Amino acid sequence: MIRIKLIPLEEFQRVRAAPIDKYERLALISDMCRTNTLSAVKRAGSGHLGSSFSAMEIVVWLYYQEMNIMAVGLQSPDRDIYFSSKGHDVPGLYSVLFSLGILPEEKFLKLRRLGGLDGHPDVGIPGIEANSGSLGMGISKGRGMAWAKQLLDRSGRVFVMTGDGELQEGQIYEALQAAFHQRVGNLTVIVDHNKVQSDKRICEIIDLRDLEAKFHSFGWHVARRNGHDLRQLDWVLAEFKQIIDRPKLLIADTIKGRGVSFMEHPVALRTAKGLYPWHAGAPDDQSFSAAHQEIVERINARLAELGLLPLVLKEIEPSEKVVRSSLVTQNALGEPVSQAVKSKLSDGASSEYVVEAFGQALVEIAAKRPNLVVLDADLAADCRLRCFEETYPDRFIENGIAEQDMVSMAGGLARQGLLPVVNSFASFLASRANEQIYNNASERTKIIYVCHYAGLLPAGPGKSHQSLRDISLFGALPNCIILQPCNAAETRMAMEYCVNQASENCMLRLVIGPSPRIIELSASYQLTPWRGVVLKEGSNAIMFAYGPVMLHEALLASEILEENDFGLQIVNMPWLNRVDMHWLKEVVAPYESIYVLEDHSPVGGLGDFLLNALNNEVLLKRRRIRKFAVEGYPACGTPPEALKHHRLDGASLASRILNNIE
Amino acid sequence: MIRIKLIPLEEFQRVRAAPIDKYERLALISDMCRTNTLSAVKRAGSGHLGSSFSAMEIVVWLYYQEMNIMAVGLQSPDRDIYFSSKGHDVPGLYSVLFSLGILPEEKFLKLRRLGGLDGHPDVGIPGIEANSGSLGMGISKGRGMAWAKQLLDRSGRVFVMTGDGELQEGQIYEALQAAFHQRVGNLTVIVDHNKVQSDKRICEIIDLRDLEAKFHSFGWHVARRNGHDLRQLDWVLAEFKQIIDRPKLLIADTIKGRGVSFMEHPVALRTAKGLYPWHAGAPDDQSFSAAHQEIVERINARLAELGLLPLVLKEIEPSEKVVRSSLVTQNALGEPVSQAVKSKLSDGASSEYVVEAFGQALVEIAAKRPNLVVLDADLAADCRLRCFEETYPDRFIENGIAEQDMVSMAGGLARQGLLPVVNSFASFLASRANEQIYNNASERTKIIYVCHYAGLLPAGPGKSHQSLRDISLFGALPNCIILQPCNAAETRMAMEYCVNQASENCMLRLVIGPSPRIIELSASYQLTPWRGVVLKEGSNAIMFAYGPVMLHEALLASEILEENDFGLQIVNMPWLNRVDMHWLKEVVAPYESIYVLEDHSPVGGLGDFLLNALNNEVLLKRRRIRKFAVEGYPACGTPPEALKHHRLDGASLASRILNNIE
């Protein structure tokens, strides 16, 4: 395992105290924060380096020089406020907060871990002023804070960082117009204009064109500077301070991946054939070492030039290997589990991605359906749409980070007889474009909404990305079938169903991460409308679940319970708001205890649907349904941490079932 | 009752055939369509005149001169397409479609009636190309149609009308950027720039500033012309036809209420002290007659100048008086109802508006809560916020038609310790700003969301405005209490609760129309957390309902059933996602049949919540819950029509209950 080193707080204190020019000092601090960001992301196994690096000088300048936070304290009502609207650049912010002593080392090293630092900002963390990660909300929220400061006669300014890809979100323009109209002069927006969104250049996705002209047309005071040049930042913010009759916006020209030669975007894009590889995810060992060495050597060279000693780095404990699902070492009674149970756990080699199967199925099905078109909101790689994009470029529509526009465009396409397949993460698509989805559905056309990254896992990105409400958000549409497949084969069948059989709208819910195990279906299995399928026999109780993540935990629970002589029948129920009552009656007939395991909130998921179905047919008389669901906000952490926190891992489920009976 | 006259189709045919200059002819047709729009709205009792009139010349020009529809037919894939994104100007469009023989007279006269013409456009109506009424979606949808035409190698252009207030919606800018990037050259947008939104000037609400500069900055070809000058429209659209490498946008300067002197906005605003009174709603008899006479006289004068005979008008049947709720003339068995039942129906004098009580309570409570601030998205009059705005101008925030921005701003205000009360119609607030509401809630601040115009009624505006999904859209938030009061007193208590007692977010659901009867609560009634209250005793079954509309129908059903010797106990349950289990156990103890009457979709409302509660406590053994809810899309029509269509009027409910038992 690779050794990861941290620049400890004392080293920051040494450089801060060194009698050197402030610009020199903060350039050094910026690079030192880059080093720690790199280490934290590497240790976490994921996180966003590219934009943490592009924004680094700006964040360092704000915290060390511009804002009053260190003087008045984090609790002062008169403090200046900074937050990033895009939010995914938070590893960079965390490293700055660590360098200032606001975040202790122990916390700083727990990036994307339970009880540590969320993958996107959360106000529960010291120094974090706003939850963000859902793009486009920051200027509105910052304006609220700034307006409140005025009403409450508080001093302090509000600084909001936005991405540039983020400027594709329409809410940005709502916020711009209102902030000018309301003359919110204590609000400053800084656009980290690094020119690259997820993995492509903005001008290729949806060009932003002349940003200065746009912002001017909304009435703002606008400046454009080099975002890595501390002198320019100093001067422009001094200029902004004098302007109090209107909000101010700085377009900061930056370089994505700034500070590591091979991560900087012009080079990185060329190397990776046009796809920027350092937006999200931890670097491999070799890249990490090279990047770390490059920054540290640059820092040390500069320290030497300034007559200062080289950095003293501190080796940090490696984190345990992150696994895909719950770890089972003991059964529900606390005894070690048998080898039989252990062997069912995926060893990685036997895993799969249902989303990968979706991407393949899309291309295959599209060959026979010339009216099928695919829409994307800048998540083509994550949603596995690249193959379709390359195979059918004429039928692929990139809309940029603008889910509402994408969905309404799909409505127009459908009205012309096309079959749109609309893609984004579930938390964005189901929620932000909800009214547009309703409007389309009310036209009785057919559209397939693919809600990627549905459910609790991966839990590292945090609650802005984990989607536990999407079934409920589609649930009250009168003409939409919701389904979630459990493995690659069922995913292909589900897509086939949505495209070629369904007459209504479909919402296809997909897990984005690796399946913890391949959920086995018989070779003859056919997805049958409104029917589920028994995956494991058991005579004491029955559990309905869906999707690879929760079916794995359900099976695990059943396997553990088997060792306790309790038979838990496991049913894969891919239909989340339709059921064949004949089948349901038959399948629940032998059981009094019915469990539903939700990869969703307890409200509005499969459990509520089945409860209604059983109640309607008066089948509940001697039965009770119990839902195991994600209660509260989803925890951030590794898969085992998040599952265990919500008591949804196999061992907890087994234990909850046994306790229920007792 | 006032006599309403129509200009029949033959008169349009006469003018079309007359040997006069095309501009003269279409100016006449425009005024003739205005006349019929006025009559249709007057007959319907509601509808939007101001913007129907401001857009009239544009719509007439498009249909009579610019588009190929009359030549190729409404079914041709190569037809030109027109629709209005704002949608509320559809009475004007209907009158044009009538004048062309696309809509028959019988249909044209059924504006806002069941089986007639929806208050906002619906594709089920001949000539209507898109459902609209939720603002800001049209350019995206039009782009989808235009893009599809290109893919499918179809000719025909797409024309989308937008309002100007509508330009406050962020989705507009998403659509603008994508349409340019995708070079959708067969798309033309026309902004009906009449300078007035709901009832105030746009520059007072949220100023749009230099529209030409904005649209230019997004890359579009932009022109600005007088939208009432047919020659200018002719020339600019001819110019647009030559431009095929980019989308085109016409800023059409128009006058809201154009064509009726006292409805034109500069005059009308002055007369009504700054509030434009002709945006929505039918004119009173005197105004109607004056307006009608003015236009008809102008038309006849012009006809005379052109040597043509004056108009021959046709008197149309008056519509029956529209009442507030279901009409009961017979009981569930078809017998005439007794005088006792009839007397319970509101005669109008004894009615009330819960929203009025909300507006008053807001002002009263705010006196003691200096941290309470109110946010509005251009529905201040409908949401009864004017009194607050005038009493506490410093604590009133007008955000314009930009719900997402409003909600995120509220998040920022709450983070500064203020208590924001966020207002809009339920269908817009719960749906369009859903992700922003989630984001705010995840910060664990407290915000009160007031969802106005919740439920089925009024049913005239149609499915874009009727909100039957809002409970489900808030339901899976982990920290939000949803409640709906049934009368003015309970509304005041609910606001008191939300402001002074609740520790979590609150969603207050309000009916916007008049209560069909005043729901009576005892003088000593206190809103008690998680408990409902029995309104009417009955021993055979129990029904839970909420809000004045459905409680009236529930009471009516109970009154009718009483005559059939069936006792239906009616419980007002204002808490839609919280319940005191001790109370619930006690209240349901005597009953096997439990009914829940939803002013909502069957999915995600009170019924699902109570079903869960009873299931959790194993109280369903011998019981069954039946939900009566708004199935499918909500019907457009008068209150009795819509209620009856959904079988939710008292008589239908009584009958359904009796049939259930048999």
Side-chain angles (χ1 to χ4, degrees), chain B residues 32 35 61 87 167 176 220 231 237 252 310 324 353 376 402 424 458 503 547 560 565 615 620 635 656:
Chain B
M32 290 164 71
T35 317
W61 182 265
L167 299 177
L176 290 176
W220 285 49
R231 277 178 190 78
L237 291 173
R324 291 174 185 167
Y353 286 79
D376 173 49
S424 189
S503 58
I560 294 167
D565 296 325
N615 169 68
L620 288 168
R656 290 167 81 180

Side-chain angles (χ1 to χ4, degrees), chain B residues 35-47:
Chain B
T35 317
N36 281 350
T37 304
L38 183 71
S39 297
V41 167
K42 177 62 181 168
R43 190 169 190 274
S46 63

Side-chain angles (χ1 to χ4, degrees), chain A residues 131 141 143 399 439 443, chain B residues 131 141 143 399 439 443:
Chain A
N131 286 15
K141 193 179 275 186
R143 187 177 88 248
N399 280 277
N439 172 273
E443 291 179 340
Chain B
N131 285 17
K141 193 178 276 187
R143 188 177 88 249
N399 280 276
N439 172 274
E443 290 180 340

Side-chain angles (χ1 to χ4, degrees), chain B residues 584-606:
Chain B
L584 183 64
K585 269 185 199 176
E586 205 171 285
V587 85
V588 301
Y591 304 96
E592 295 207 348
S593 277
I594 303 171
Y595 295 94
V596 181
L597 176 57
E598 306 271 12
D599 199 2
H600 193 265
S601 149
V603 178
L606 176 64

Side-chain angles (χ1 to χ4, degrees), chain B residues 237-392:
Chain B
L237 291 173
E239 171 199 320
F240 277 11
K241 215 165 186 169
Q242 305 308 314
I243 295 157
I244 54 167
D245 69 330
R246 61 182 64 201
K248 295 144 283 189
L249 186 143
L250 171 64
I251 302 168
D253 284 304
T254 60
I255 293 168
K256 197 154 180 172
R258 171 72 168 195
V260 174
S261 54
F262 59 89
M263 290 183 178
E264 294 197 357
H265 77 72
V267 174
L269 274 168
R270 271 197 301 276
T271 320
K273 294 179 185 165
L275 293 179
Y276 184 80
W278 309 104
H279 174 71
D284 58 40
D285 290 354
Q286 194 186 343
S287 304
F288 167 75
S289 300
H292 198 270
Q293 189 179 344
E294 177 180 331
I295 318 179
V296 170
E297 282 179 1
R298 185 170 61 236
I299 295 169
N300 283 336
R302 198 73 199 108
L303 285 172
E305 283 171 24
L306 294 164
L308 299 169
L309 294 171
L311 287 175
V312 179
L313 298 173
K314 177 178 169 184
E315 189 158 337
I316 55 180
E317 246 180 84
S319 66
E320 60 269 39
K321 188 170 183 290
V322 172
V323 295
R324 291 174 185 167
S325 190
S326 65
L327 287 169
V328 179
T329 52
Q330 54 183 41
N331 68 14
L333 301 176
E335 298 152 355
V337 294
S338 71
Q339 202 51 42
V341 169
K342 275 189 186 162
S343 70
K344 305 271 173 104
L345 295 172
S346 164
D347 58 1
S350 66
S351 188
E352 64 178 8
Y353 286 79
V354 291
V355 65
E356 191 67 50
F358 160 77
Q360 290 165 3
L362 197 57
V363 174
E364 287 158 23
I365 291 170
K368 293 178 202 153
R369 287 293 299 248
N371 74 331
L372 186 152
V373 293
V374 171
L375 293 92
D376 173 49
D378 192 33
L379 288 169
D382 289 318
C383 301
R384 301 296 203 278
L385 306 175
R386 289 272 187 250
C387 184
F388 184 93
E389 181 181 5
E390 283 159 18
T391 314
Y392 300 105

